[in-house]
Amino acid sequence: MIYLDHAATTPVPKAVADAMYEALTEQFGNPSSQYPLGQDAKQTVESCRGIIAKALGCRSKNLYFTSCGTESDNWAIQAAIWQGRHSGKHIITTAVEHSAVIEPCKWLEKQGYTVTYLQPDQDGNIHVEQVENALREDTVLVSMMLVNNETGCIFPAKETAQLLKDKKSKALLHCDAVQGFLKVACDPVSWGVDMMSLSAHKIGGPKGIGALYIADSFRNVRPLLPGGGQENGLRSGTEATAQIVGFAKSVELRHENLTEKLRHTADMKEYCRKKLMTIPGMVSVGKGTAPHILAMALAGYPSANIVTDLGEKGICISAGSACHRGKSSHVVSALGLDKKTAAGVIRISFSPDTTTEEIDSLYEALKEHQEKRFPML
């Protein structure tokens, strides 16, 4: 199998699985229990929190564990509108956010909120001037991802935080950094971001564990799940100790020689882009992108057919976000591409272990697909 869909999820290294197995079989105590086995588990959770927080550049007390990035996004949105419930009912986000942000915003529109969806330019980028133009007195939340999960475009979260500060806006800034953490610059503390979402399975960790950074400046945070008081009373429920251990171990592994890993990933992406651009009709989608995501379009050849055909050959790529479950992508729709180009958009995503041989195999498979299939009229 040739796996080139690391933006969807990543393989779990043996060291991560081994650490989780040990936690499951030997450190199985409930972190809320008072006897030594439980307190050992609590110490493990806090140690892991410290490892992840250090990589993010924040203090441990500002990082809260959740079940996934989607949960973190939903919590951030709900917490922000609760905080601003007396200030207004206006939200700014982008038209190309992950569905974990778009769908909650649609629900809020049904509850009387007004949502401004910023449209990307033809290169897939969002500009801070768009936020400035959309900002209102009654804006309570700006939610902007750091790296788009389909195009790889990097959005101006840092500049938006500075804008809100300069304008003395009451709006809180949430940043979905699920695709950005340990891939691009990611510094919520110095930037002044109020909330930032993370997920383990994008960096070699297990599925089922994520985190939400909440800044000190954001006080009276509405709990996501009231109950037993875990996570400082903000996200109740017995901690998923083994998943937390896996998250921390994946951060440790990814952080080792990170600069070299990102350089290799970027090199593989550029090698792939240049190789695929020699195929007639191939188009590059998006500019100013993260090192691990490459969006391309084989104009006139439906991406669903490409993904299926290549999958049968053991090559894994995507037609967009794995979270769309076969539905057409709102991200591609927002780019304003012509019909044939939009139909052929594929996403290829890389890891520090991707090789040129794997990319060469992808190239040959795409050429064969083009030769054997009829293009759309």
Side-chain angles (χ1 to χ4, degrees):
M1 182 180 70
I2 295 174
Y3 190 73
L4 293 170
D5 200 19
H6 294 268
T9 196
T10 52
V12 175
K14 185 176 184 300
V16 173
D18 287 345
M20 293 179 65
Y21 181 78
E22 182 178 349
L24 285 167
T25 57
E26 299 178 23
Q27 301 168 354
F28 57 85
N30 189 320
S32 296
S33 299
Q34 297 305 306
Y35 44 76
L37 185 64
Q39 290 304 293
D40 287 347
K42 181 178 181 179
Q43 185 175 353
T44 295
V45 168
E46 295 311 313
S47 175
C48 292
R49 194 191 311 273
I51 290 169
I52 302 164
K54 183 178 179 181
L56 188 61
C58 71
R59 291 183 293 179
S60 295
K61 73 183 188 72
N62 295 109
L63 196 70
Y64 299 86
F65 289 117
T66 64
S67 68
C68 58
T70 293
E71 182 182 305
S72 297
D73 288 344
N74 274 262
W75 182 13
I77 292 168
Q78 291 298 325
I81 64 168
W82 173 260
Q83 179 81 355
R85 63 194 183 279
H86 301 306
S87 301
K89 284 193 169 186
H90 179 236
I91 297 169
I92 299 172
T93 189
T94 81
V96 290
E97 292 296 303
H98 191 280
S99 296
V101 170
I102 293 288
E103 293 304 318
C105 285
K106 288 181 179 178
W107 276 103
L108 288 169
E109 286 183 287
K110 296 177 182 179
Q111 299 172 40
Y113 283 79
T114 301
V115 182
T116 299
Y117 297 95
L118 305 179
Q119 297 293 324
D121 63 20
Q122 62 182 2
D123 293 323
N125 291 304
I126 298 291
H127 304 278
V128 69
E129 292 80 11
Q130 293 175 266
V131 181
E132 183 174 11
N133 292 336
L135 196 62
R136 302 181 346 193
E137 286 292 326
D138 62 340
T139 304
V140 295
L141 169 67
V142 178
S143 186
M144 173 185 289
M145 64 197 336
L146 183 55
V147 173
N148 186 268
N149 54 303
E150 295 192 36
T151 64
C153 290
I154 302 171
F155 289 174
K158 177 182 178 180
E159 293 80 2
T160 297
Q162 186 62 48
L163 170 70
L164 296 179
K165 181 179 179 181
D166 292 344
K167 295 292 184 179
K168 296 181 172 54
S169 173
K170 295 180 181 178
L172 295 172
L173 175 61
H174 164 244
C175 180
D176 177 347
V178 167
Q179 289 289 353
F181 181 47
L182 298 181
K183 311 283 179 62
V184 299
C186 188
D187 191 352
V189 177
S190 69
W191 293 355
V193 171
D194 296 294
M195 296 169 286
M196 181 172 279
S197 303
L198 309 177
S199 181
H201 78 101
K202 305 296 187 181
I203 54 169
K207 300 169 187 64
I209 184 69
L212 181 67
Y213 161 82
I214 303 177
D216 284 334
S217 57
F218 186 3
R219 299 189 177 132
N220 301 316
V221 180
R222 183 180 183 178
L224 172 65
L225 296 173
Q230 290 87 354
E231 295 301 290
N232 200 29
L234 295 184
R235 201 280 187 184
S236 295
T238 302
E239 296 89 344
T241 310
Q243 282 93 331
I244 290 170
V245 167
F247 193 175
K249 188 65 177 178
S250 70
V251 168
E252 281 186 324
L253 293 177
R254 185 58 65 101
H255 208 261
E256 292 175 3
N257 302 314
L258 180 61
T259 301
E260 180 181 334
K261 290 174 180 175
L262 293 178
R263 184 182 301 115
H264 173 80
T265 304
D267 288 345
M268 292 300 98
K269 172 184 169 180
E270 183 59 15
Y271 176 81
C272 185
R273 187 190 68 80
K274 288 182 177 179
K275 188 93 174 178
L276 297 191
M277 285 298 288
T278 65
I279 299 175
M282 188 67 77
V283 178
S284 181
V285 178
K287 292 183 180 179
T289 58
H292 66 298
I293 296 177
L294 176 64
M296 304 288 285
L298 189 55
Y301 293 83
S303 57
N305 293 339
I306 296 174
V307 171
T308 300
D309 193 13
L310 268 61
E312 292 175 352
K313 294 178 173 64
I315 301 175
C316 302
I317 63 170
S318 173
S321 171
C323 301
H324 288 305
R325 300 183 65 180
K327 297 180 181 179
S328 60
S329 167
H330 65 281
V331 175
V332 172
S333 298
L335 295 179
L337 303 172
D338 64 84
K339 183 178 179 180
K340 289 185 177 181
T341 301
V345 173
I346 55 175
R347 181 187 68 184
I348 307 145
S349 45
F350 312 92
S351 82
D353 298 320
T354 301
T355 66
T356 55
E357 290 78 13
E358 290 175 325
I359 294 169
D360 290 343
S361 295
L362 169 67
Y363 167 76
E364 294 297 336
L366 284 171
K367 280 206 311 178
E368 183 179 355
H369 179 86
Q370 187 182 52
E371 291 167 359
K372 291 186 176 180
R373 294 271 188 165
F374 291 105
M376 61 188 290
L377 298 176

